[in-house]
Amino acid sequence: MDARHQPVLLAEVLEWLAPRDGGIYVDGNLGLGGHSAKILEMSAPHGRLVAFDWDAAAMAIARERLADFGDRVHFVRRNFAVISDTLAELGIAKVDGILLDLGLSSLQLDESGRGFTFKGSEPLDMRMDDRGGRTAADLLNTAGQDELADIFYYYGEERQARPIAARIVEARRSEPFVVTEQLVRVVEWAVPKRFHPKKIHVATKVFQALRIAVNGELENLARVLADGAGLLAPGGRFCIISFHSLEDRLVKQAFHDNPALRVLTRKPIVAGAAELAANPRARSAKLRVAEVGRGGND
Protein backbone atom coordinates (compact mmCIF):
# COMPACT_ATOMS: atom_id res chain seq x y z
CA MET A 1 0.00 0.00 0.00
CA ASP A 2 1.35 3.44 -0.98
CA ALA A 3 2.18 5.13 2.31
CA ARG A 4 0.72 8.40 1.04
CA HIS A 5 -2.76 7.02 0.62
CA GLN A 6 -4.79 4.75 2.84
CA PRO A 7 -8.19 4.16 1.23
CA VAL A 8 -10.89 5.07 3.71
CA LEU A 9 -13.45 2.53 4.93
CA LEU A 10 -11.78 -0.14 2.79
CA ALA A 11 -13.14 -3.18 4.66
CA GLU A 12 -16.63 -1.67 4.76
CA VAL A 13 -16.59 -0.82 1.04
CA LEU A 14 -15.57 -4.37 0.12
CA GLU A 15 -18.23 -5.85 2.40
CA TRP A 16 -21.04 -3.79 0.88
CA LEU A 17 -19.85 -3.69 -2.72
CA ALA A 18 -19.25 -7.47 -2.54
CA PRO A 19 -17.08 -7.84 -5.68
CA ARG A 20 -17.34 -11.29 -7.32
CA ASP A 21 -15.63 -13.18 -10.09
CA GLY A 22 -16.92 -12.06 -13.47
CA GLY A 23 -18.52 -8.85 -12.20
CA ILE A 24 -18.06 -5.45 -13.80
CA TYR A 25 -17.38 -2.53 -11.46
CA VAL A 26 -16.82 1.22 -11.67
CA ASP A 27 -14.47 3.17 -9.43
CA GLY A 28 -15.51 6.76 -10.06
CA ASN A 29 -12.61 8.26 -8.09
CA LEU A 30 -9.57 6.11 -8.77
CA GLY A 31 -7.14 8.24 -6.75
CA LEU A 32 -4.01 6.20 -6.11
CA GLY A 33 -5.87 2.94 -6.69
CA GLY A 34 -6.31 1.63 -3.15
CA HIS A 35 -9.96 0.67 -3.44
CA SER A 36 -9.54 -0.46 -7.06
CA ALA A 37 -6.73 -2.89 -6.24
CA LYS A 38 -8.87 -4.71 -3.69
CA ILE A 39 -11.94 -4.76 -5.95
CA LEU A 40 -9.84 -6.35 -8.68
CA GLU A 41 -8.38 -8.89 -6.25
CA MET A 42 -11.80 -9.91 -4.97
CA SER A 43 -13.31 -10.15 -8.46
CA ALA A 44 -10.48 -12.29 -9.86
CA PRO A 45 -9.89 -13.93 -12.18
CA HIS A 46 -12.48 -12.53 -14.60
CA GLY A 47 -13.89 -9.41 -12.94
CA ARG A 48 -13.40 -6.10 -14.72
CA LEU A 49 -13.09 -2.52 -13.50
CA VAL A 50 -13.60 0.82 -15.24
CA ALA A 51 -11.59 3.40 -13.30
CA PHE A 52 -12.27 7.14 -13.62
CA ASP A 53 -10.15 10.07 -12.49
CA TRP A 54 -9.41 13.44 -14.04
CA ASP A 55 -6.21 14.01 -12.05
CA ALA A 56 -3.31 13.06 -14.33
CA ALA A 57 -0.75 12.71 -11.52
CA ALA A 58 -2.93 10.37 -9.48
CA MET A 59 -3.83 8.30 -12.53
CA ALA A 60 -0.17 7.82 -13.48
CA ILE A 61 0.56 6.37 -10.02
CA ALA A 62 -2.56 4.18 -10.09
CA ARG A 63 -1.71 2.83 -13.57
CA GLU A 64 1.66 1.63 -12.30
CA ARG A 65 0.15 0.22 -9.15
CA LEU A 66 -2.54 -1.72 -11.01
CA ALA A 67 -0.36 -2.82 -13.94
CA ASP A 68 -0.39 -6.47 -12.86
CA PHE A 69 -4.16 -6.64 -13.44
CA GLY A 70 -3.60 -6.09 -17.17
CA ASP A 71 -6.65 -5.57 -19.35
CA ARG A 72 -9.04 -6.30 -16.48
CA VAL A 73 -8.88 -2.58 -15.67
CA HIS A 74 -9.77 0.20 -18.12
CA PHE A 75 -8.54 3.70 -17.21
CA VAL A 76 -10.61 6.76 -18.11
CA ARG A 77 -9.28 10.28 -17.53
CA ARG A 78 -12.67 11.89 -17.10
CA ASN A 79 -14.88 13.02 -14.26
CA PHE A 80 -17.34 10.46 -12.92
CA ALA A 81 -20.22 12.66 -14.09
CA VAL A 82 -19.84 11.09 -17.55
CA ILE A 83 -19.93 7.46 -16.40
CA SER A 84 -23.10 6.83 -18.40
CA ASP A 85 -21.65 8.17 -21.66
CA THR A 86 -18.36 6.37 -21.16
CA LEU A 87 -19.90 2.97 -20.44
CA ALA A 88 -22.02 3.36 -23.59
CA GLU A 89 -18.84 4.08 -25.60
CA LEU A 90 -17.26 0.94 -24.14
CA GLY A 91 -20.30 -1.17 -25.01
CA ILE A 92 -21.12 -1.88 -21.35
CA ALA A 93 -24.87 -1.87 -20.73
CA LYS A 94 -24.89 -2.66 -17.00
CA VAL A 95 -22.39 -2.93 -14.16
CA ASP A 96 -22.52 -4.81 -10.86
CA GLY A 97 -21.32 -2.00 -8.63
CA ILE A 98 -20.33 1.67 -8.56
CA LEU A 99 -18.00 3.19 -5.97
CA LEU A 100 -17.47 6.90 -5.49
CA ASP A 101 -14.92 8.13 -2.92
CA LEU A 102 -15.50 11.88 -2.95
CA GLY A 103 -12.47 12.78 -0.84
CA LEU A 104 -9.14 14.26 -1.88
CA SER A 105 -6.16 11.96 -1.85
CA SER A 106 -3.10 12.66 0.28
CA LEU A 107 -1.23 13.25 -2.99
CA GLN A 108 -3.56 16.13 -3.86
CA LEU A 109 -3.48 17.64 -0.39
CA ASP A 110 0.20 17.28 0.36
CA GLU A 111 2.07 17.09 -2.94
CA SER A 112 0.03 18.48 -5.83
CA GLY A 113 1.16 22.10 -5.48
CA ARG A 114 -2.25 23.23 -6.74
CA GLY A 115 -3.50 25.05 -3.67
CA PHE A 116 -5.84 22.46 -2.16
CA THR A 117 -4.28 23.10 1.22
CA PHE A 118 -3.75 26.35 3.09
CA LYS A 119 -0.48 25.10 4.59
CA GLY A 120 2.49 26.81 2.99
CA SER A 121 2.17 28.90 -0.14
CA GLU A 122 0.97 27.32 -3.40
CA PRO A 123 -0.61 28.65 -6.60
CA LEU A 124 -4.34 29.24 -6.23
CA ASP A 125 -5.31 26.68 -8.85
CA MET A 126 -7.52 24.00 -7.22
CA ARG A 127 -8.47 22.37 -10.54
CA MET A 128 -8.65 18.59 -10.43
CA ASP A 129 -8.22 18.60 -14.21
CA ASP A 130 -5.48 20.96 -15.40
CA ARG A 131 -6.57 20.76 -19.05
CA GLY A 132 -8.84 23.79 -18.84
CA GLY A 133 -11.38 25.78 -16.87
CA ARG A 134 -11.04 28.64 -14.45
CA THR A 135 -8.74 28.45 -11.46
CA ALA A 136 -9.42 29.53 -7.90
CA ALA A 137 -7.36 32.65 -8.59
CA ASP A 138 -9.54 33.46 -11.60
CA LEU A 139 -12.62 33.19 -9.41
CA LEU A 140 -11.20 35.27 -6.58
CA ASN A 141 -10.02 38.00 -8.94
CA THR A 142 -13.11 38.34 -11.12
CA ALA A 143 -16.24 37.22 -9.24
CA GLY A 144 -18.48 39.86 -7.70
CA GLN A 145 -18.77 40.26 -3.96
CA ASP A 146 -22.23 38.68 -3.80
CA GLU A 147 -21.15 35.69 -5.90
CA LEU A 148 -18.15 35.07 -3.66
CA ALA A 149 -20.30 35.34 -0.54
CA ASP A 150 -22.78 32.84 -1.96
CA ILE A 151 -19.98 30.40 -2.83
CA PHE A 152 -18.55 30.55 0.69
CA TYR A 153 -21.97 30.29 2.34
CA TYR A 154 -23.57 27.55 0.23
CA TYR A 155 -20.53 25.44 -0.61
CA GLY A 156 -18.55 25.98 2.58
CA GLU A 157 -21.37 26.70 5.05
CA GLU A 158 -19.21 29.61 6.17
CA ARG A 159 -21.16 31.96 8.45
CA GLN A 160 -18.70 34.81 7.90
CA ALA A 161 -19.13 34.60 4.13
CA ARG A 162 -20.11 38.23 3.56
CA PRO A 163 -17.28 39.92 5.48
CA ILE A 164 -14.78 37.52 3.91
CA ALA A 165 -16.07 38.31 0.41
CA ALA A 166 -15.92 42.04 1.12
CA ARG A 167 -12.29 41.79 2.28
CA ILE A 168 -11.34 39.77 -0.80
CA VAL A 169 -12.79 42.40 -3.14
CA GLU A 170 -11.00 45.12 -1.19
CA ALA A 171 -7.67 43.25 -1.16
CA ARG A 172 -7.63 42.48 -4.89
CA ARG A 173 -7.77 46.18 -5.71
CA SER A 174 -4.18 46.38 -4.43
CA GLU A 175 -2.86 43.12 -5.87
CA PRO A 176 -4.44 40.10 -7.54
CA PHE A 177 -4.70 36.79 -5.72
CA VAL A 178 -1.99 34.41 -6.88
CA VAL A 179 -1.01 32.11 -3.99
CA THR A 180 -2.80 30.45 -1.09
CA GLU A 181 -0.92 32.46 1.52
CA GLN A 182 -2.66 35.65 0.33
CA LEU A 183 -6.10 34.13 0.76
CA VAL A 184 -5.31 32.75 4.21
CA ARG A 185 -4.16 36.21 5.38
CA VAL A 186 -7.33 37.87 4.10
CA VAL A 187 -9.62 35.31 5.74
CA GLU A 188 -7.77 35.60 9.06
CA TRP A 189 -8.08 39.37 8.80
CA ALA A 190 -11.77 39.32 7.83
CA VAL A 191 -13.03 37.01 10.58
CA PRO A 192 -12.99 38.43 14.11
CA LYS A 193 -10.94 36.33 16.52
CA ARG A 194 -14.00 35.47 18.57
CA PHE A 195 -15.46 33.68 15.53
CA HIS A 196 -12.37 31.61 14.72
CA PRO A 197 -13.28 27.90 15.01
CA LYS A 198 -11.50 25.86 17.66
CA LYS A 199 -11.11 22.55 15.82
CA ILE A 200 -10.29 23.64 12.27
CA HIS A 201 -8.35 26.46 10.64
CA VAL A 202 -10.37 29.59 10.01
CA ALA A 203 -9.77 29.29 6.25
CA THR A 204 -10.84 25.62 5.96
CA LYS A 205 -14.40 26.24 4.79
CA VAL A 206 -13.37 28.94 2.32
CA PHE A 207 -10.86 26.58 0.69
CA GLN A 208 -13.47 23.82 0.57
CA ALA A 209 -16.01 26.13 -1.04
CA LEU A 210 -13.58 27.38 -3.68
CA ARG A 211 -12.53 23.84 -4.59
CA ILE A 212 -16.17 22.76 -4.97
CA ALA A 213 -16.97 25.80 -7.13
CA VAL A 214 -13.88 25.48 -9.35
CA ASN A 215 -14.54 21.81 -10.07
CA GLY A 216 -18.35 21.85 -10.19
CA GLU A 217 -18.32 19.05 -7.63
CA LEU A 218 -21.94 19.19 -6.50
CA GLU A 219 -23.23 19.44 -10.06
CA ASN A 220 -21.12 16.43 -11.06
CA LEU A 221 -22.36 14.47 -8.06
CA ALA A 222 -25.99 15.33 -8.85
CA ARG A 223 -25.53 14.06 -12.41
CA VAL A 224 -24.07 10.69 -11.43
CA LEU A 225 -26.74 10.27 -8.75
CA ALA A 226 -29.38 10.76 -11.44
CA ASP A 227 -27.70 8.30 -13.85
CA GLY A 228 -26.23 5.69 -11.52
CA ALA A 229 -29.21 3.46 -10.77
CA GLY A 230 -29.91 3.02 -14.46
CA LEU A 231 -26.39 1.68 -15.00
CA LEU A 232 -26.65 -1.05 -12.36
CA ALA A 233 -27.70 -4.64 -13.04
CA PRO A 234 -30.30 -6.20 -10.70
CA GLY A 235 -28.63 -6.57 -7.31
CA GLY A 236 -25.95 -4.04 -8.27
CA ARG A 237 -24.80 -1.72 -5.52
CA PHE A 238 -24.11 1.99 -5.41
CA CYS A 239 -21.53 2.88 -2.71
CA ILE A 240 -20.66 6.51 -2.02
CA ILE A 241 -18.20 7.90 0.53
CA SER A 242 -18.76 11.59 1.26
CA PHE A 243 -16.74 13.94 3.42
CA HIS A 244 -18.95 16.91 4.16
CA SER A 245 -22.60 17.53 4.89
CA LEU A 246 -23.51 19.00 1.48
CA GLU A 247 -22.44 15.81 -0.30
CA ASP A 248 -23.96 13.53 2.31
CA ARG A 249 -27.35 15.26 2.11
CA LEU A 250 -27.37 14.99 -1.69
CA VAL A 251 -26.55 11.28 -1.55
CA LYS A 252 -29.07 10.51 1.19
CA GLN A 253 -31.88 12.34 -0.59
CA ALA A 254 -31.11 10.89 -4.02
CA PHE A 255 -31.00 7.32 -2.70
CA HIS A 256 -34.25 7.84 -0.81
CA ASP A 257 -36.10 9.44 -3.72
CA ASN A 258 -35.10 6.94 -6.42
CA PRO A 259 -37.74 4.16 -6.69
CA ALA A 260 -35.23 1.89 -8.44
CA LEU A 261 -32.98 1.84 -5.36
CA ARG A 262 -33.32 0.11 -2.01
CA VAL A 263 -31.32 1.86 0.71
CA LEU A 264 -29.15 -0.63 2.59
CA THR A 265 -27.58 1.77 5.12
CA ARG A 266 -30.24 3.62 7.10
CA LYS A 267 -27.45 5.52 8.84
CA PRO A 268 -24.09 6.29 7.24
CA ILE A 269 -21.21 3.96 8.04
CA VAL A 270 -18.25 5.72 9.65
CA ALA A 271 -14.69 4.75 10.49
CA GLY A 272 -13.95 2.79 13.63
CA ALA A 273 -11.43 3.69 16.32
CA ALA A 274 -8.63 1.62 14.81
CA GLU A 275 -8.92 3.26 11.39
CA LEU A 276 -9.17 6.73 12.90
CA ALA A 277 -5.96 6.12 14.86
CA ALA A 278 -4.16 5.02 11.69
CA ASN A 279 -5.74 7.55 9.34
CA PRO A 280 -7.16 10.71 10.96
CA ARG A 281 -8.45 11.91 7.56
CA ALA A 282 -11.14 9.23 7.79
CA ARG A 283 -12.86 11.08 10.61
CA SER A 284 -15.40 12.81 8.37
CA ALA A 285 -15.96 9.94 5.93
CA LYS A 286 -19.53 8.64 5.61
CA LEU A 287 -20.46 5.63 3.50
CA ARG A 288 -23.98 5.16 2.16
CA VAL A 289 -25.07 2.16 0.09
CA ALA A 290 -28.11 1.44 -2.06
CA GLU A 291 -29.02 -1.54 -4.24
CA VAL A 292 -31.03 -1.97 -7.41
CA GLY A 293 -33.89 -4.38 -6.75
CA ARG A 294 -33.51 -7.92 -8.00
CA GLY A 295 -37.16 -8.27 -8.92
CA GLY A 296 -38.66 -4.87 -9.64
CA ASN A 297 -38.26 -1.89 -7.33
CA ASP A 298 -38.14 -3.89 -4.08
Side-chain angles (χ1 to χ4, degrees), residues 212-240:
I212 289 172
V214 165
N215 295 291
E217 292 180 28
L218 296 185
E219 294 84 356
N220 291 334
L221 177 58
R223 180 173 174 184
V224 76
L225 285 169
D227 293 344
L231 302 173
L232 289 164
R237 292 185 172 180
F238 206 169
C239 302
I240 303 183

Side-chain angles (χ1 to χ4, degrees), residues 25-79:
Y25 301 92
V26 169
D27 187 343
N29 297 80
L30 173 63
L32 301 185
H35 288 114
S36 286
K38 291 299 183 181
I39 292 169
L40 287 160
E41 287 176 14
M42 287 186 66
S43 63
H46 303 298
R48 291 189 289 154
L49 179 77
V50 183
F52 289 77
D53 208 301
W54 55 359
D55 188 317
M59 181 161 280
I61 292 171
R63 277 182 179 274
E64 182 177 350
R65 182 175 182 178
L66 303 178
D68 289 345
F69 295 104
D71 60 5
R72 289 180 55 210
V73 54
H74 185 91
F75 297 95
V76 182
R77 193 185 167 199
R78 295 178 178 175
N79 181 262

Side-chain angles (χ1 to χ4, degrees), residues 17 20 22-25 94-98 231-237:
L17 191 64
R20 57 174 175 79
I24 303 175
Y25 301 92
K94 299 287 183 181
V95 298
D96 298 290
I98 298 172
L231 302 173
L232 289 164
R237 292 185 172 180

Side-chain angles (χ1 to χ4, degrees), residues 196-201 204 283:
H196 282 216
K198 293 186 172 106
K199 294 185 178 180
I200 60 174
H201 191 280
T204 298
R283 67 186 180 277

Side-chain angles (χ1 to χ4, degrees), residues 173-248:
R173 293 192 186 109
S174 302
E175 61 176 0
F177 284 89
V178 177
V179 295
T180 53
E181 186 179 21
Q182 293 172 280
L183 180 58
V184 170
R185 285 201 307 265
V186 169
V187 174
E188 290 175 337
W189 180 37
V191 180
K193 287 287 186 182
R194 67 183 182 278
F195 294 131
H196 282 216
K198 293 186 172 106
K199 294 185 178 180
I200 60 174
H201 191 280
V202 67
T204 298
K205 293 181 177 181
V206 168
F207 272 69
Q208 171 188 298
L210 278 173
R211 192 199 77 226
I212 289 172
V214 165
N215 295 291
E217 292 180 28
L218 296 185
E219 294 84 356
N220 291 334
L221 177 58
R223 180 173 174 184
V224 76
L225 285 169
D227 293 344
L231 302 173
L232 289 164
R237 292 185 172 180
F238 206 169
C239 302
I240 303 183
I241 304 171
S242 62
F243 286 81
H244 58 76
S245 57
L246 294 173
E247 294 170 339
D248 185 55

